[in-house]
Amino acid sequence: MNSILKRIIFLLDASASMKENNPNRLAIDSISQLIYSLPSDYMVSIVSYNNDINFKSNLVYCNERIALVKKAEEIQYFGYSSPGKGLKQALDILETSQSVEKNIIIVSDGKILLQNDKQTEAEITLFKEQVVKAKKLNTTINVVGIGTSIDDISSDIFNATKETSGSIYHKPKTSNVQNIFDDILTNQFKIEKSVLGVIESDGKPQSISVNLPIENISKARILLRSSKPINSFIADFSAENSFQDSGKQYALIELEHPTKRNLNITVDAEKGSKIKVDLIAECEVQVKTNITYIDTNPLNKNAKVYDRTANIKFHFENAVNPNKKMFTEDYFDKAVINAKNNGKDVSLFLQNGEAIWTTNVSNEQFINISLDYSNFPVNIINSDKIELKLEAPPIYEGSDTILYTVCIGVLFISIFILMLLISRKKRKQTINFEIKEESKYSYTGKLNVYITHTKNDLDISPLTFNLFHISNNRQISLEEVLNRLDVEEIFEGADKIYFNPDSNRKLIVTNNSDCTVMKNREIILKEKSIELFADSKLDISFEDEVSEMVVQYKDLK
């Protein structure tokens, strides 16, 4: 899988002291759980050390993890502790990697100890040198401390986390190591995980029925983590491929392209066991884009090109089967993908597996969009960066436009003079004619205001503002509306969103702010205006990026 950009090496202390601090070998058991829980865009390796390196593996792909785990289960604890050699071996493996993310997780009781003081000092020096190298290689070191013998988390091993922006985790009881790795998975690596249920064993086989959250999942990993050993488990499911594995206190089922969203699991564990059932789901998504342009006459008469707006539509498809659309479930309706366009934040609102982003285009340009799916219930891989070319707007033929405008003006004046001569009406009537052409529209309806989120988390009831109290043809801002409704909360940018009356009981909405103002999923760009018909609504995210409001225009018959 060429898109794999993340690497993790587990560096395990296999010295004799670890045998005392980890007699049940739950450290290896917990490492296995974490390896199985990682999405497919991670490559992993295990290195262990005592007097020297006693086990090492190359970085392996997802489909090679089970073989790696089986070999690691054979690691024996004996001898002294040489983490300097272990860290050097791990960095040698990572040094040639072009990963975006590189991590080393050291699992140790915190000791650096060899046969004599001279060898120990040399090992400490080597370890410190490798920490400096790790920092240069942009590799993060996290340390999991195991055992009651750890009395100084400021030792050289733990100091490695400070130099590389890593974290320290310590549990005196090895039975709690499982919780450490669960914390690393969700908080350190930000892996999306859902809790499907908890089984409390009465010593007899028990069943649980679970449902996958969305369709077209590429891989679903169901991980059973128990406080006591799991004797056996059986799963009833439908998928294109699968495998199962288990350790001392865990069991795993990995489904590749499940064809049904529901599955049943029967598990037999010791009486009193609490078995947590977690789901780590992933989707391989490919993004297709379609760009359309809208060109309008520029407001600036000296402009050389037309005003161009680009509507970029994003389609999300299953990478393995492009005929299957992604994110079409109700869960994703109006969900937001947080994106960045050349470093600038952009929000993409999903509807039926599609999203639209609108932007102004003044010249030919290349944009790089990175997509962030961190608020989704599944892990998205293989599709997070998109490069697009936006075409320059066409040249504005200003002279032709001016000539056309002059001709229309001459024709209008000629008709006016002709009508004046034929009608032979008084000057007063002529003036009335001009006033009719410039007639002013009246406000007739009302605005229903629904404040959905504020900076101070205030709960504000729905409000109604009657527009017909406003004098004809007077522009009113959203800030003035809120002030008249006695809303004390400040909404940044509301003073630059304006309403004007229009024909046929419509409103003209003008956005001169940096707020995100949307009508029916269409963004009103800055310094642009749109018509608002009866029963239409505006979704507004204000400039503080926290406050949100819905404004609905209602006509009064």
Side-chain angles (χ1 to χ4, degrees), residues 390-528:
L390 299 182
E391 298 177 359
I395 296 174
Y396 173 59
E397 301 293 345
S399 58
D400 292 345
T401 304
I402 293 172
L403 179 61
Y404 175 81
T405 303
V406 171
C407 292
I408 293 297
V410 170
L411 179 61
F412 179 82
I413 293 171
S414 300
I415 294 173
F416 174 75
I417 293 173
L418 180 61
M419 291 180 65
L420 182 62
L421 294 174
I422 293 174
S423 64
R424 298 187 179 186
K425 292 183 179 181
K426 297 179 181 180
R427 181 171 180 78
K428 183 177 180 180
Q429 291 173 307
T430 303
I431 294 174
N432 287 338
F433 173 78
E434 291 178 352
I435 290 174
K436 184 178 179 181
E437 287 297 306
E438 298 177 359
S439 61
K440 300 173 182 178
Y441 302 116
S442 302
Y443 289 102
T444 60
K446 64 179 181 179
L447 297 177
N448 292 334
V449 179
Y450 306 93
I451 300 173
T452 57
H453 204 265
T454 69
K455 231 177 182 180
N456 299 316
D457 289 328
L458 296 179
D459 187 9
I460 301 176
S461 301
L463 303 166
T464 298
F465 180 77
N466 292 322
L467 289 166
F468 54 78
H469 292 312
I470 308 301
S471 59
N472 295 350
N473 206 34
R474 187 171 80 78
Q475 181 172 270
I476 184 171
S477 70
L478 179 57
E479 182 182 55
E480 183 178 346
V481 171
L482 296 173
N483 288 339
R484 292 197 180 197
L485 292 172
D486 296 326
V487 177
E488 296 181 357
E489 187 79 0
I490 301 300
F491 293 85
E492 297 179 20
D495 59 324
K496 299 174 185 176
I497 300 173
Y498 302 105
F499 300 97
N500 285 284
D502 196 18
S503 60
N504 298 323
R505 299 175 177 266
K506 295 177 295 187
L507 285 182
I508 297 296
V509 182
T510 304
N511 178 26
N512 289 340
S513 71
D514 290 322
C515 302
T516 300
V517 184
M518 300 184 66
K519 173 196 169 187
N520 298 332
R521 299 182 58 78
E522 175 188 356
I523 295 178
I524 306 175
L525 299 175
K526 188 174 182 179
E527 299 182 357
K528 296 292 184 179

Side-chain angles (χ1 to χ4, degrees), residues 16-198:
S17 61
M18 279 289 287
K19 190 173 184 179
E20 298 175 7
N21 288 312
N22 185 30
N24 296 324
R25 298 174 61 85
L26 293 180
I28 294 177
D29 203 62
S30 297
I31 288 173
S32 301
Q33 290 181 45
L34 182 53
I35 288 175
Y36 282 139
S37 300
L38 293 169
S40 299
D41 53 350
Y42 281 85
M43 293 185 74
V44 295
S45 167
I46 297 176
V47 174
S48 68
Y49 61 87
N50 41 43
N51 300 339
D52 205 334
I53 305 300
N54 71 335
F55 179 84
K56 66 178 179 179
S57 76
N58 294 323
L59 289 160
V60 301
Y61 291 97
C62 176
N63 59 354
E64 302 172 284
R65 291 177 184 177
I66 189 169
L68 173 62
V69 167
K70 294 304 180 187
K71 290 179 181 178
E73 288 174 348
E74 299 174 1
I75 295 173
Q76 298 298 314
Y77 294 151
F78 64 91
Y80 294 93
S81 177
S82 56
K85 297 184 182 69
L87 186 55
K88 182 179 185 304
Q89 179 65 62
L91 290 172
D92 287 346
I93 295 172
L94 288 175
E95 191 168 13
T96 58
S97 171
Q98 300 300 317
S99 303
V100 171
E101 294 182 18
K102 300 177 184 178
N103 289 275
I104 294 174
I105 300 177
I106 301 176
V107 182
S108 170
D109 57 13
K111 297 177 181 178
I112 300 179
L113 180 65
L114 288 174
Q115 289 177 310
N116 55 57
D117 290 345
K118 182 178 180 180
Q119 290 179 342
T120 300
E121 287 299 322
E123 190 67 21
I124 292 173
T125 300
L126 176 61
F127 185 83
K128 291 179 177 178
E129 291 172 351
Q130 297 308 305
V131 171
V132 173
K133 182 178 178 181
K135 187 175 182 179
K136 290 180 180 179
L137 293 175
N138 295 318
T139 300
T140 301
I141 298 176
N142 299 288
V143 177
V144 178
I146 292 179
T148 56
S149 62
I150 296 177
D151 53 9
D152 182 14
I153 61 171
S154 63
S155 64
D156 294 307
I157 289 182
F158 290 103
N159 275 334
T161 62
K162 298 178 183 179
E163 297 296 323
T164 62
S165 301
S167 299
I168 295 173
Y169 303 87
H170 176 224
K171 292 289 185 182
K173 294 183 179 180
T174 55
S175 59
N176 294 325
V177 174
Q178 199 176 57
N179 296 330
I180 290 180
F181 283 95
D182 189 42
D183 187 29
I184 292 174
L185 181 73
T186 55
N187 297 322
Q188 188 77 16
F189 299 137
K190 308 300 181 185
I191 305 302
E192 286 297 322
K193 184 178 69 170
S194 304
V195 178
L196 299 179
V198 176

Side-chain angles (χ1 to χ4, degrees), residues 119-284:
Q119 290 179 342
T120 300
E121 287 299 322
E123 190 67 21
I124 292 173
T125 300
L126 176 61
F127 185 83
K128 291 179 177 178
E129 291 172 351
Q130 297 308 305
V131 171
V132 173
K133 182 178 178 181
K135 187 175 182 179
K136 290 180 180 179
L137 293 175
N138 295 318
T139 300
T140 301
I141 298 176
N142 299 288
V143 177
V144 178
I146 292 179
T148 56
S149 62
I150 296 177
D151 53 9
D152 182 14
I153 61 171
S154 63
S155 64
D156 294 307
I157 289 182
F158 290 103
N159 275 334
T161 62
K162 298 178 183 179
E163 297 296 323
T164 62
S165 301
S167 299
I168 295 173
Y169 303 87
H170 176 224
K171 292 289 185 182
K173 294 183 179 180
T174 55
S175 59
N176 294 325
V177 174
Q178 199 176 57
N179 296 330
I180 290 180
F181 283 95
D182 189 42
D183 187 29
I184 292 174
L185 181 73
T186 55
N187 297 322
Q188 188 77 16
F189 299 137
K190 308 300 181 185
I191 305 302
E192 286 297 322
K193 184 178 69 170
S194 304
V195 178
L196 299 179
V198 176
I199 302 172
E200 294 190 7
S201 176
D202 59 0
K204 299 177 182 179
Q206 290 183 301
S207 298
I208 183 173
S209 179
V210 298
N211 290 302
L212 303 180
I214 68 171
E215 295 180 351
N216 301 326
I217 288 176
S218 300
K219 286 185 180 177
R221 299 177 178 89
I222 294 91
L223 181 66
L224 287 73
R225 298 189 296 117
S226 176
S227 58
K228 297 182 180 181
I230 294 175
N231 298 325
S232 64
F233 75 100
I234 301 172
D236 180 16
F237 57 85
S238 179
E240 292 182 7
N241 200 0
S242 68
F243 85 83
Q244 301 181 16
D245 194 21
S246 59
K248 294 180 179 296
Q249 293 184 334
Y250 78 90
L252 175 89
I253 311 161
E254 180 173 295
L255 308 180
E256 186 173 344
H257 301 293
T259 53
K260 292 183 180 179
R261 291 176 63 175
N262 64 302
L263 64 154
N264 296 302
I265 299 170
T266 301
V267 60
D268 180 16
E270 290 185 15
K271 186 176 181 179
S273 300
K274 282 192 175 183
I275 305 168
K276 188 178 178 183
V277 183
D278 291 334
L279 168 69
I280 302 98
E282 68 181 52
C283 292
E284 295 183 52

